[in-house]
Amino acid sequence: MRTEAQAVVIGGGVIGCSILYHLTKLGWHDVVLLERDELTSGSTWHAAANIHGLHDSANISRLQHYTMRLYDELEEETGQSCGVFRPGSLYLAQTENREHQLRLQAAKARLYGMNFHEISRDEAEKLHPLVNFDGIRCIMWEPDGGNVDPSGVTNAYAIGARQRGAEINRFTPVTGTEQQADGSWIVRTPKGDIRTPWVINAAGLWGREVARLAGVQVPLQPTEHQYFVTESIAEIDAMDRRLPSVADRDGEYYLRQEGKGLLVGAYERDMRFWAEDGTPLDFAHDLFPDDLERIEENMLRAIDRVPVVGMAGIKRVINGPMIWSPDSNVILGPVPELDGYFMCGGIIPGFSQSAGMGLMAAQWIIKGEMEYDMFAWDVARFGDWANDRAFVKARVQDVYAHRFAIHFPNEERAAGRPLRTRPVFEHQKKLGAVFGLNYGWEHPLWFADSSGVEDTNGFTRQNWWGPVGQECRMLRDAAGIIDISNFAKYVCKGPGAEGWLNAVFANNMPKAIGRSCLTPLIGKRGGIAGDFTVTRLDEDEFWIIGSGMAERYHQRFFKQVPLPNGTGFESKTEAMCGFNIAGPKSRDLLQRLTNASLATQDFPFMRSQKIEIAGVQAMALRVSFTGDLGWEIHCAAEDQARLYEALLEAGRDFGAGPVGSRALMSLRIEKGYGSWSREYSPEYWPQEVGLDRLCKLDKAFLNKAAVEETLADTPREQLVLLHLDGADTDRSNADATGGEPIFKDGQGIGRVTSGAYGYTVGMSLALGFVKNAKPGDDVEVMVLGQPHKARILKEPPFDPKGERLRA
C-alpha cells in the first residue's frame, strides 16, 4: 500500500469510485481509495439504480446528462459492463401543477438540447401497454431514461481509475485522519498510514463517523427505504422489448421493469430512521426485515396505474438504508474550516448523478473551482446550526416523505423550525409576519393581516401576492422597514486592514472615513464569487456586508489571504442586527429619532456614520437594495427590539410599516439590481453582469490573473431586464421566478435568473442572461413552459437615473 498520495478517497461505493476515476481522468494518478469492506458495501449494492436526465435545476440536469453519457464511454474504455438499459421513461402529470412542472422541464430541455418532450396518450400506450393512463393530463417522454447495474457501474469506475494509476485497497478501514502542522493529512489504517494533502470523505452510510475522525460534524441521517420486485408477468414475458420506466410522482412511487417482472419503490409518509446514534461498523451487504405495510398506500396507487402489479406475486423485497441531508441534496465540497478535507455525503439519486458528482469533486480539488455554480450542493450552505439533531431528523423526515412532491418557487418548508431567531421574532410574528429560512435564521417574507397565516404554494401567484404588493406601494409612497439582520456582517480592524481588504477584493477600498464602495470577490476562474459593500469606519476599521447564506462559503476565499500581524477579521452576523428604512419619507422618519443630520449635504449617498438613534448606538449606511432613498441601520442584537419598536412607532405618522423580503425582491428587480447566487455567481464574468468597472487591474487582488483573462474575452452573454407582456394584476397569472428559458425567433438565447411582479411600475419583470439579443428586442419567456411575449428593456422602469436613490 502506498504511503503517500495526491489524494485519499475514503469509501468504495459508486460515488467514491467515481471521484477516484475523475481525479485520474483530470490528471492525478497518484491517488488511493480505501474501503472498509468490499466495493459497493453500504447503500450502493442494493440501489434501484434508475437513471434520468431532467431536474428542476439546469446545472443538475447538465450533470445528470453527463452521467448518462459517460456510462457508454466507461463500458468502451474499461470493458466492464455497466448494465445499462435505456427503454425510456414516461413522466405522468395527474395535477395542473405537475403539468406546469413537466412543461417547464420540457422547455428547458429544448433550450439545452436535451431529449424530453410531450407525447400523446396513443403514443404512450404503444410504448407501455400495461399502464392505465386515465386521469393523466400530460405525458412527457425521455427516450434515454432507464437503469443501470450498481455493481457494474461501480466496478467500471474502479477499473478505469486503476488503468490510470490509482490504487484501491479493500478491507482497509480508516481508523484516523490527523491534520499535520503543514496542512497535510495522515490517514491511518491497520495496514499502514498514508500522507496526503487531500482527504475525501465519500464514506456514505459512515460519512458521519469518518467526518468525526477529523473533528467535523455533518448533518446527515440514515433512513430505511423499500422497493419490491414482482414475479415474472406473462405480458412482459411475451414482449420482445423492454418496457419504459414510469415516473408517476403524483402517485408517490417509481416503477420500472426488472427481469420479466416489475420493480416498484416508494417514499412513504410513515418513514423509519435508522442508526440515529451512528452506523454500525459491521454493517456491509445487509438489509432490514420487510415491512411492506408501510408502503401499502403507495403500492395501491401503483396497482391502480399498472394493474398487472396487483396480480403478480412478490419475488423479493429490498429494505435497505439510505443517508440523507436536511434538504436531500448531497453535502459536497471542501470543509471551509479545514485545509484539504473534502466532503461528499448524503447522495440520493446516486446513479443519475454519480459521474457529474465525481467530475465536480475532481475539478474542485485539482483546479480549485467547479465549472458550474453548485451552491445547492455545497457543504457551506449549512453551518454548525444545522447539526442540531432535532432539526436534522425533522428535515430528513420531511424530505423523505415528500421526495416526489413538487418543490414550488418560493416554497418554504416548516419542518424543524424555528431554529435560530432574532430578538424581534415574536414581535414580528404578532404583526403577521410569515417567515422564511435563511442560513438557519427566521426572517419575515411578508406580513399578513393577522398572525398565524401560512404561505400557499404553487406556480401561479399565491396568497402573499396581494399583501406583498401593498408593502411595495407603501415603501415607494412613504417608507418601509425591512429586517436585514440575515445579511452577513464583518469587521476588519487593525493597521493592516486596508491592505488586506485590497488584497482580497477587486475594487479599491475607500480612502476617506465614512465612505463606502461596492466590490466583487473574484472566483478561481475569474467569475463573481461574491458582491460586498465595504465601509471605512475609522483609520484602521472597516465594515463589510455580504450575502448571509454565503457566509461560510466566503470563508474559503478570506482564508486564502493571510491577515497581517495585529489585524483581525471577525463575523458580526450573530452579534449585530439590522434594518433597511427606505422610501421617500425615510429621511423624515429617521430624523425624528436622531440628532444627527440626515440632510443630503451632511449624509450623502454611499456614506456612513456612527449615530445614536432612538437611544441606540448604531452604524448608519446610506444605501438601499430597494433602489430608493434609504439607510441601513445596524445595531447590537440586544438593542434590536428597542430600535424596532421605535422605528414602527415613528413610522405610523408617515404611513410606514414593516416590509418583508419578498417585497424587497420585487423592488430590487424594478431597479434591475442583481443578487448573489442568482445573477452573481462564479459562473458569470464581471463584464456579463456590469461589475467590470469595479475590478481595478492596477492593483493585486485575489484571483486577479483569472479575471484579467475573462475581462479580455468577449462576453458570452449579458444580464438584461425583461418586461413580460400580458401579466396583469389577476392572481391566477404567473410571473417568472428563475430558470425559465428565453427564446428569440424560435432559438434558445438564455434563461431567467430572477423574476417578480413590479407592483409600483405595473410590470411583470425578469432578470436573465441572453446572447445575440439587445435592448428593445422582442423575445419569448417560457413561463410555466408556455411562451410569453417579452421585451428587453433599455433601462430599469423605476428611477433609471437614480434620482430617488441619491435624493
Side-chain angles (χ1 to χ4, degrees), residues 534-649:
V534 182
T535 297
R536 190 168 202 140
L537 299 179
D538 210 332
E539 199 61 42
D540 63 352
E541 184 177 1
F542 292 80
W543 176 262
I544 303 101
I545 300 173
S547 169
M549 68 177 179
E551 181 162 352
R552 195 175 178 215
Y553 166 85
H554 285 140
Q555 284 183 35
R556 297 192 184 109
F557 297 88
F558 298 146
K559 69 188 289 187
Q560 291 178 42
V561 181
L563 278 164
N565 290 335
T567 298
F569 181 76
E570 182 184 4
S571 170
K572 293 290 186 179
T573 305
E574 291 195 31
M576 302 287 286
C577 295
F579 298 104
N580 179 203
I581 299 86
K585 297 181 182 179
S586 58
R587 175 182 282 118
D588 297 333
L589 188 161
L590 290 170
Q591 193 66 78
R592 181 172 290 188
L593 299 172
T594 182
N595 291 324
S597 174
L598 303 181
T600 302
Q601 63 270 24
D602 298 320
F603 208 141
F605 180 63
M606 291 298 285
R607 298 293 193 275
S608 69
Q609 294 180 28
K610 291 181 179 179
I611 66 173
E612 182 178 298
I613 181 166
V616 170
Q617 296 299 315
M619 199 280 283
L621 174 61
R622 185 155 166 213
V623 295
S624 177
F625 200 35
T626 65
D628 215 315
L629 172 68
W631 281 259
E632 289 183 4
I633 308 292
H634 299 274
C635 68
E638 56 266 28
D639 293 326
Q640 188 198 23
R642 183 155 54 117
L643 177 59
Y644 195 50
E645 289 170 8
L647 290 169
L648 291 173
E649 178 66 29

Side-chain angles (χ1 to χ4, degrees), residues 99 120 147 181 202 279 290 295 330 415 469 501 517 556 700 773 806:
E99 183 177 359
S120 67
N147 63 281
T279 304
D290 305 350
I295 65 170
V330 63
L501 291 169
C517 77
R556 297 192 184 109
R806 293 172 172 81

Side-chain angles (χ1 to χ4, degrees), residues 388-423:
D388 179 273
R389 293 309 303 161
F391 173 79
V392 173
K393 286 185 62 178
R395 298 299 275 197
V396 168
Q397 182 176 22
D398 185 63
V399 296
Y400 180 97
H402 297 94
R403 174 67 179 157
F404 289 147
I406 299 169
H407 297 288
F408 294 106
N410 302 302
E411 182 181 49
E412 297 280 346
R413 308 294 300 184
R417 296 168 50 197
L419 186 63
R420 296 207 289 176
T421 60
R422 302 286 186 177

Side-chain angles (χ1 to χ4, degrees), residues 103-213:
R103 292 196 186 283
L104 182 55
Q105 289 183 342
K108 292 178 182 179
R110 181 181 158 208
L111 175 65
Y112 295 112
M114 301 172 182
N115 203 350
F116 183 90
H117 58 272
E118 187 173 6
I119 60 173
S120 67
R121 176 170 178 164
D122 286 346
E123 291 173 303
E125 287 174 340
K126 291 174 184 175
L127 289 166
H128 205 314
L130 304 183
V131 175
N132 171 16
F133 292 98
D134 288 350
I136 298 300
R137 299 171 58 103
C138 167
I139 306 167
M140 293 290 174
W141 172 238
E142 182 181 26
D144 296 327
N147 63 281
V148 294
D149 169 39
S151 296
V153 168
T154 305
N155 283 297
Y157 283 133
I159 292 168
R162 283 196 188 103
Q163 288 174 345
R164 291 191 176 93
E167 178 183 286
I168 296 176
N169 295 283
R170 298 171 300 145
F171 305 103
T172 309
V174 171
T175 57
T177 53
E178 300 168 9
Q179 190 164 34
Q180 307 304 294
D182 64 356
S184 67
W185 292 82
I186 300 294
V187 180
R188 303 202 184 278
T189 81
K191 297 180 180 179
D193 300 339
I194 306 174
R195 180 181 287 271
T196 180
W198 279 102
V199 172
I200 302 163
N201 180 348
L205 292 175
W206 295 269
R208 298 172 297 174
E209 288 72 25
V210 170
R212 287 189 195 114
L213 295 176

Side-chain angles (χ1 to χ4, degrees), residues 600-763:
T600 302
Q601 63 270 24
D602 298 320
F603 208 141
F605 180 63
M606 291 298 285
R607 298 293 193 275
S608 69
Q609 294 180 28
K610 291 181 179 179
I611 66 173
E612 182 178 298
I613 181 166
V616 170
Q617 296 299 315
M619 199 280 283
L621 174 61
R622 185 155 166 213
V623 295
S624 177
F625 200 35
T626 65
D628 215 315
L629 172 68
W631 281 259
E632 289 183 4
I633 308 292
H634 299 274
C635 68
E638 56 266 28
D639 293 326
Q640 188 198 23
R642 183 155 54 117
L643 177 59
Y644 195 50
E645 289 170 8
L647 290 169
L648 291 173
E649 178 66 29
R652 291 188 186 100
D653 290 342
F654 297 96
V659 170
S661 62
R662 288 201 178 135
L664 180 60
M665 166 76 85
S666 169
L667 297 167
R668 66 102 176 167
I669 291 178
E670 289 182 347
K671 186 64 175 171
Y673 286 164
S675 175
W676 191 84
S677 86
R678 291 174 176 266
E679 290 75 40
Y680 304 147
S681 99
E683 279 190 54
Y684 306 139
W685 296 348
Q687 67 270 40
E688 294 170 344
V689 296
L691 297 183
D692 46 323
R693 61 188 175 83
L694 303 180
C695 297
K696 307 303 183 183
L697 301 182
D698 57 350
K699 66 159 190 164
F701 57 86
L702 189 63
N703 297 320
K704 176 185 174 182
V707 82
E708 282 181 315
E709 286 188 26
T710 59
L711 288 173
D713 283 343
T714 302
R716 302 159 298 180
E717 52 191 1
Q718 205 68 47
L719 179 64
V720 297
L721 182 60
L722 303 109
H723 170 208
L724 281 66
D725 292 343
D728 58 21
T729 56
D730 188 333
R731 231 192 75 180
S732 65
N733 283 328
D735 300 292
T737 57
E740 293 88 351
I742 303 170
F743 289 86
K744 179 185 175 187
D745 300 327
Q747 300 297 313
I749 63 166
R751 72 271 172 214
V752 170
T753 50
S754 296
Y757 189 77
Y759 299 91
T760 70
V761 295
M763 297 179 177

